[in-house]
Amino acid sequence: MSHVDLTKALASWSTDPDELARVSVDRSGVSPAGLPDLVVFAKDVDDVQRTVAYAAAHNVPVVPRGAGSGVAGGAVAGAGTIVLDLSGLNRIVEIRSDEAIAVVEPGVITAHLDEAAAAHGLRYAPDPASAAISTIGGNIATNAGGLRCVKYGVTRDAVLAVDAVLGDGTLVSTGRRTLKGVTGYDLTSLLVGSEGTLGVVVGATLRLSPLPVSTATASAFFATAEDAVAAVTAVQRRGLRPSTAELLDQATLVAIDEADGGDLHTRGEVFLLLQTDGYGAEAEMAVAEQVIRPLATSVETTTDPDVAARLVATRRAALPAIERHGRVLIEDIAVPRSRLAETVTAVASIAAATGVRIFVFAHAGDGNLHPIVLADSAPAEQVDRAVAAIFEHAIAVGGTLTGEHGVGVLKRPWLAAELGDPVLDLHRRIKAVFDPAGILNPGKAIG
Amino acid sequence: MSHVDLTKALASWSTDPDELARVSVDRSGVSPAGLPDLVVFAKDVDDVQRTVAYAAAHNVPVVPRGAGSGVAGGAVAGAGTIVLDLSGLNRIVEIRSDEAIAVVEPGVITAHLDEAAAAHGLRYAPDPASAAISTIGGNIATNAGGLRCVKYGVTRDAVLAVDAVLGDGTLVSTGRRTLKGVTGYDLTSLLVGSEGTLGVVVGATLRLSPLPVSTATASAFFATAEDAVAAVTAVQRRGLRPSTAELLDQATLVAIDEADGGDLHTRGEVFLLLQTDGYGAEAEMAVAEQVIRPLATSVETTTDPDVAARLVATRRAALPAIERHGRVLIEDIAVPRSRLAETVTAVASIAAATGVRIFVFAHAGDGNLHPIVLADSAPAEQVDRAVAAIFEHAIAVGGTLTGEHGVGVLKRPWLAAELGDPVLDLHRRIKAVFDPAGILNPGKAIG
Ligand SMILES: Cc1cc2nc3c(=O)[nH]c(=O)nc-3n(C[C@H](O)[C@H](O)[C@H](O)COP(=O)(O)OP(=O)(O)OC[C@H]3O[C@@H](n4cnc5c(N)ncnc54)[C@H](O)[C@@H]3O)c2cc1C
Ligand SMILES: Cc1cc2nc3c(=O)[nH]c(=O)nc-3n(C[C@H](O)[C@H](O)[C@H](O)COP(=O)(O)OP(=O)(O)OC[C@H]3O[C@@H](n4cnc5c(N)ncnc54)[C@H](O)[C@@H]3O)c2cc1C
């Protein structure tokens, strides 16, 4: 379809096959069938409304797109679709230090907002490892998490209000500029994490938080994952509130060392990066160190920001380092905190039983694991078996398919197993309220 | 209607007029027209499903009820309704210290959960001033706030999962036991704050948090509300994270002194209670004190828990002390933090212009004010004018009708002014998804 009735009203769009190919994929490795019809580069909210209204009238699926850094296939777009690229709507409209809020367009890069906030002594707390490339709109659509979430919450906790274009092209504003408010239903939280299936996010009011006055960092090594998890549990049970608690397994340490010439993997089996922050950072870390020491093979603490930054950078290097070994499937299960240790063990057993190479790192403080499956390390059916076994385990222990990446297209087959049919049915009926024509990212998130 | 087809299947219910009168009202002062037909005292989830399914089949409105401590008229029930009293479902099913979660029935009293958590070194953070009487189900249905919310979040932030009976009697479970998770839409947040109009909450999984190791408390007096608000703003701008920041105006101080024989009102015009907590509580308070001192007429700080407890009790005594003066309308507006000072001033001007007595206390840290209007202090039309003017001001400065109490029946006339018609329409269509027969608390929250 040529969509000329649409494009004649737009400032920027493309049907160039290279452009279409670029915007048809994200970082999931999913290959769509065919190329989209068109990519619209939205320059204002009118462009978004116009595109969605046109799509509703002509029954054409619209795939909202931020930076395409998603890893669940949420932004993947095949033949017969229109890609609605929001990355050009990238203005930080306002930062108010006295209210600690920011008003932004959806295409703002996460890290850019954080930097702009820093100029006011503030920060944007949700910090996905992809912050340098992902957009706020994509973060909202996936309810992105990150390293600081264990203390400061996920994207949902930072979103006060959203402007969204619904499936018929209507623009609505949900939420408010106040920190509290209970007038009406929480449509803002409903839009957060809806992966572009309920509305296109065209603006957001976000809560900022103060930059912590000081941060203390511990790096600890353990003989087993059980010991490392026991340390995190002990820290939390002791009433400490770490701002980061990241676990990396041996395979991940090896991959990082191979990439950067370091020696982490020689220093222990499992690595834990723990941080505390605020006025009591050092006092809190002193207690954490006491709690960790009996379980660890070594612990070092520091308040030197450069050393801490290097350690955090090491953690952020995990995924790229693993990706050097080949195509990866990035899993993202979350389990109740008390089931974390057995889950790390279960993933290792699954890897052994299927012969599939799996690396594990985890936001250990909130029970969110990333088993990274090397997709070509074994025959496809073994890889499928391994992935299925990981999901089955997560659901069996009361966990979830996805802690922060979203369902996209990749996790749809498991949706009913987690949600159950009555709840899934409720989802479909809610979707119909927001998107009667069913044109907003159909086939994603809720199947 | 006699509802005998329903009652023959129930263990506990009443049609006694005294019982019906008791359960027909809450703490809003709203008088319903006539008595409900029946009150059902639910003893298990089956009772709830049976009652709701019956009501749907016979088109009878059901009014879910916790403790009836609500102040917006959400639990008020008139002729032709069935009151569904959840207060008997009051078991704390499970507290897991290693996961820091609790599983509860809806009738658990808020303070009981907090006490039970304390035995594990944990607490239930949301602490409405009514914690000693309100239920968790009511807190969830209203998204209740409290003194600690400024640092620890409102009820929504503590609710991981909900079991709810929808308007056709179906039982659904939303959310999960994990701290993070993005499978599906956030139906849990949608149910939180829905005031019994989308589902009856019959169970919840709640996040607990560690008891802070130490708390520091400041009591400060100011010559004007502007100065007090400026102090709170300065504290937050400085990057401090107070765990409590409560402001009381002169009228409120007088009322408290009259009730308990104290001398607060002689010590300054406006009182601010500020707390910091955690490992850095004292260091953080030392900075807060520096920031506050130039603006205050006096500041005292303490780490003595008894002194702190007395100060917090003073704050909690504000509403009962005011209620000694007569029937009150408890308003609950929230405004952007930067508009708090002018809002306090605006309320004073409204009181002066209308001749209505209005007391003000506020969760100043998050811009949530409680103007308490003495209902018989002026002719009814003046009182109406004053209340209208307060709401108009709130909306005009980008604020909201209700920060934490809910819309109930009292704030319905203002709903469209805040939400706008397209968003209100979206609410009605969502309501129809959850409650096709329209029998769950009709006429409340969304009108
Ligand atoms: C190296 C790397 C590290 C990562 N680390 C993390 C991490 O730590 N935590 C984490 O949560 N994720 C992480 N991710 C995943 C990804 O970055 C996030 O999901 C991010 O939120 C996606 O943002 P995006 O702008 O790239 O969105 P896209 O990939 O473009 O889109 C993601 C989804 O959101 C929808 N969408 C995008 N913009 C809008 C909009 N304006 N309105 C409506 N829907 C929209 C799309 O349709 C799609 O469903 C990582 C990815 C990589 C490659
Ligand atoms: C002295 C005093 C101080 C207060 N302080 C605060 C405060 O600091 N912060 C604050 O937020 N509120 C405060 N309140 C208001 C009130 O206590 C809260 O709104 C509380 O959450 C109501 O709980 P409840 O169990 O009494 O609910 P109810 O009053 O019985 O009901 C409130 C609403 O919730 C619905 N509901 C109740 N239970 C359920 C259920 N299980 N499923 C579905 N719907 C249900 C009802 O239909 C109604 O709409 C105060 C009230 C008083 C009297």
Side-chain angles (χ1 to χ4, degrees):
Chain A
M1 226 170 136
S2 83
H3 308 306
V4 61
D5 285 347
L6 171 62
T7 53
K8 69 185 180 200
L10 297 171
S12 181
W13 50 273
S14 176
T15 53
D16 173 69
D18 289 346
E19 273 299 75
L20 293 177
R22 183 181 67 79
V23 298
S24 71
V25 293
D26 63 6
R27 297 286 294 267
S28 62
V30 174
S31 303
L35 286 184
D37 291 349
L38 173 73
V39 52
V40 173
F41 301 107
K43 296 297 170 204
D44 56 28
V45 175
D46 274 355
D47 283 349
V48 176
Q49 292 190 264
R50 207 173 278 133
T51 302
V52 174
Y54 169 90
H58 297 81
N59 241 304
V60 184
V62 172
V63 182
R65 179 180 183 85
S69 75
V71 289
V76 163
T81 64
I82 295 175
V83 174
L84 179 52
D85 185 319
L86 285 312
S87 62
L89 290 178
N90 60 0
R91 277 189 323 137
I92 297 176
V93 179
E94 186 183 4
I95 291 186
R96 288 284 302 240
S97 60
D98 53 351
E99 295 183 12
I101 65 168
V103 178
V104 299
E105 292 183 343
V108 169
I109 299 293
T110 316
H112 294 177
L113 173 60
D114 199 32
E115 284 153 25
H120 299 264
L122 296 166
R123 69 179 181 187
Y124 178 62
D127 62 335
S130 52
I133 51 171
S134 69
T135 68
I136 295 292
N139 293 168
I140 291 174
T142 57
N143 190 18
L147 272 55
R148 304 165 182 158
C149 295
V150 60
K151 183 165 179 182
Y152 294 101
V154 292
T155 299
R156 175 168 297 117
D157 302 302
V159 182
L160 296 173
V162 159
D163 297 327
V165 173
L166 307 186
D168 62 356
T170 318
L171 175 67
V172 296
S173 297
T174 70
R176 50 192 70 79
R177 202 185 167 101
T178 58
L179 299 176
K180 282 166 80 178
V182 294
T183 305
Y185 301 147
D186 188 358
L187 303 187
T188 306
S189 293
L190 193 61
L191 286 164
V192 174
S194 65
E195 301 187 49
T197 65
L198 296 181
V200 181
V201 176
V202 294
T205 303
L206 304 170
R207 184 197 288 268
L208 303 174
S209 44
L211 279 167
V213 283
S214 65
T215 300
T217 304
S219 50
F221 288 89
F222 300 85
T224 65
E226 284 79 0
D227 290 346
V229 169
V232 175
T233 304
V235 161
Q236 290 180 317
R237 233 174 164 149
R238 181 64 192 264
L240 307 174
R241 296 172 56 90
S243 53
T244 303
E246 297 288 315
L247 181 153
L248 284 73
D249 78 351
Q250 179 64 204
T252 304
L253 296 178
V254 170
I256 294 173
D257 287 343
E258 283 172 4
D260 72 4
D263 65 352
L264 292 173
H265 78 283
T266 66
R267 297 167 56 195
E269 276 296 305
V270 177
F271 175 65
L272 178 69
L273 172 68
L274 193 94
Q275 296 191 298
T276 55
D277 69 9
Y279 280 84
E282 282 187 68
E284 194 167 359
M285 184 53 84
V287 179
E289 193 183 347
Q290 268 173 36
V291 169
I292 294 170
R293 192 167 294 289
L295 293 157
T297 53
S298 72
V299 200
E300 280 172 44
T301 66
T302 181
T303 53
D304 180 330
D306 294 332
V307 178
R310 274 200 298 279
L311 287 163
V312 171
T314 298
R315 159 61 187 84
R316 289 195 196 272
L319 185 58
I322 296 167
E323 283 177 328
R324 289 162 36 113
H325 291 269
R327 198 164 61 86
V328 295
L329 304 174
I330 303 172
E331 300 310 340
D332 171 43
I333 57 173
V335 297
R337 243 154 56 175
S338 68
R339 313 300 292 264
L340 183 57
E342 71 188 271
T343 301
V344 176
T345 311
V347 173
S349 308
I350 291 166
T354 55
V356 176
R357 264 182 89 181
I358 309 180
F359 304 74
V360 175
F361 52 91
H363 307 300
D366 31 40
N368 186 191
L369 289 88
H370 294 307
I372 311 296
V373 176
L374 216 52
D376 302 315
S377 62
E381 74 224 37
Q382 292 300 85
V383 171
D384 290 349
R385 264 188 57 205
V387 169
I390 290 171
F391 289 152
E392 277 156 18
H393 171 87
I395 292 173
V397 301
T400 176
L401 301 172
T402 171
E404 57 181 22
H405 291 163
V407 170
V409 293
L410 283 177
K411 287 155 212 158
R412 284 175 314 178
W414 303 95
L415 207 55
E418 180 174 338
L419 297 181
D421 288 323
V423 171
L424 202 49
D425 179 53
L426 212 48
H427 279 75
R428 300 214 174 96
R429 287 189 284 141
I430 291 171
K431 161 87 173 160
V433 167
F434 283 76
D435 176 24
I439 50 116
L440 290 179
N441 222 4
K444 311 291 175 61
I446 66 161
Chain B
M1 231 173 130
S2 83
H3 307 307
V4 60
D5 286 346
L6 170 62
T7 53
K8 69 185 181 201
L10 297 172
S12 181
W13 50 275
S14 176
T15 53
D16 173 69
D18 289 346
E19 273 300 74
L20 293 178
R22 182 181 68 79
V23 299
S24 71
V25 293
D26 63 5
R27 298 284 294 269
S28 61
V30 174
S31 303
L35 286 184
D37 291 350
L38 173 73
V39 51
V40 174
F41 300 107
K43 296 298 171 202
D44 55 27
V45 175
D46 274 356
D47 283 350
V48 176
Q49 291 190 263
R50 207 174 275 132
T51 302
V52 174
Y54 169 89
H58 296 82
N59 241 305
V60 184
V62 172
V63 182
R65 180 180 182 84
S69 76
V71 289
V76 162
T81 65
I82 295 175
V83 174
L84 179 53
D85 185 320
L86 284 312
S87 63
L89 290 179
N90 60 1
R91 278 187 323 136
I92 297 176
V93 179
E94 186 183 3
I95 291 186
R96 287 284 303 239
S97 60
D98 53 350
E99 293 183 11
I101 64 168
V103 179
V104 300
E105 292 183 343
V108 169
I109 299 293
T110 316
H112 294 176
L113 173 60
D114 199 31
E115 285 153 24
H120 299 265
L122 296 167
R123 69 179 181 185
Y124 178 63
D127 61 336
S130 52
I133 52 172
S134 70
T135 67
I136 296 291
N139 293 169
I140 291 174
T142 57
N143 190 19
L147 272 56
R148 304 165 183 158
C149 294
V150 59
K151 183 166 178 182
Y152 294 102
V154 292
T155 300
R156 175 168 298 118
D157 301 302
V159 182
L160 296 174
V162 158
D163 296 327
V165 173
L166 307 185
D168 63 355
T170 317
L171 175 66
V172 296
S173 298
T174 70
R176 50 191 70 80
R177 200 186 169 102
T178 56
L179 299 176
K180 282 166 79 179
V182 295
T183 305
Y185 301 148
D186 189 358
L187 303 187
T188 306
S189 293
L190 194 61
L191 286 164
V192 174
S194 65
E195 301 189 48
T197 64
L198 295 181
V200 181
V201 176
V202 294
T205 302
L206 304 170
R207 187 197 287 266
L208 302 174
S209 45
L211 279 166
V213 284
S214 65
T215 300
T217 303
S219 51
F221 289 89
F222 299 85
T224 65
E226 283 78 2
D227 289 347
V229 169
V232 175
T233 303
V235 162
Q236 291 180 316
R237 236 176 160 145
R238 182 62 192 265
L240 307 174
R241 297 173 56 90
S243 54
T244 304
E246 297 288 316
L247 181 151
L248 285 73
D249 78 351
Q250 179 65 203
T252 303
L253 296 178
V254 171
I256 293 173
D257 287 342
E258 282 172 5
D260 72 4
D263 65 352
L264 292 173
H265 78 282
T266 64
R267 297 167 56 196
E269 276 296 305
V270 177
F271 174 66
L272 177 69
L273 172 67
L274 194 93
Q275 297 192 296
T276 55
D277 69 8
Y279 280 85
E282 283 188 67
E284 195 167 357
M285 185 53 84
V287 180
E289 194 183 346
Q290 269 174 36
V291 170
I292 294 171
R293 191 166 295 289
L295 294 156
T297 53
S298 71
V299 199
E300 280 172 44
T301 66
T302 179
T303 54
D304 180 331
D306 294 332
V307 177
R310 273 200 299 279
L311 286 164
V312 172
T314 298
R315 159 61 186 84
R316 289 194 195 274
L319 185 58
I322 296 167
E323 282 177 328
R324 287 161 38 112
H325 291 267
R327 198 163 61 84
V328 295
L329 302 174
I330 304 172
E331 300 311 339
D332 171 42
I333 57 173
V335 297
R337 243 154 56 176
S338 67
R339 313 301 291 264
L340 184 56
E342 73 188 89
T343 301
V344 175
T345 310
V347 173
S349 309
I350 291 166
T354 55
V356 176
R357 262 183 90 183
I358 308 180
F359 304 74
V360 174
F361 52 91
H363 307 300
D366 31 40
N368 186 191
L369 287 90
H370 295 306
I372 311 295
V373 176
L374 216 54
D376 302 315
S377 62
E381 74 227 35
Q382 292 299 85
V383 171
D384 291 349
R385 264 188 58 205
V387 169
I390 292 172
F391 289 151
E392 276 156 19
H393 172 86
I395 292 174
V397 300
T400 176
L401 301 172
T402 171
E404 56 181 23
H405 291 165
V407 170
V409 293
L410 284 178
K411 288 156 211 158
R412 283 175 314 179
W414 303 94
L415 208 53
E418 180 173 339
L419 297 182
D421 287 322
V423 171
L424 202 49
D425 179 54
L426 212 47
H427 280 74
R428 301 214 172 97
R429 288 188 284 141
I430 291 172
K431 161 89 172 159
V433 167
F434 283 77
D435 176 24
I439 50 115
L440 291 179
N441 221 5
K444 312 291 175 59
I446 66 161

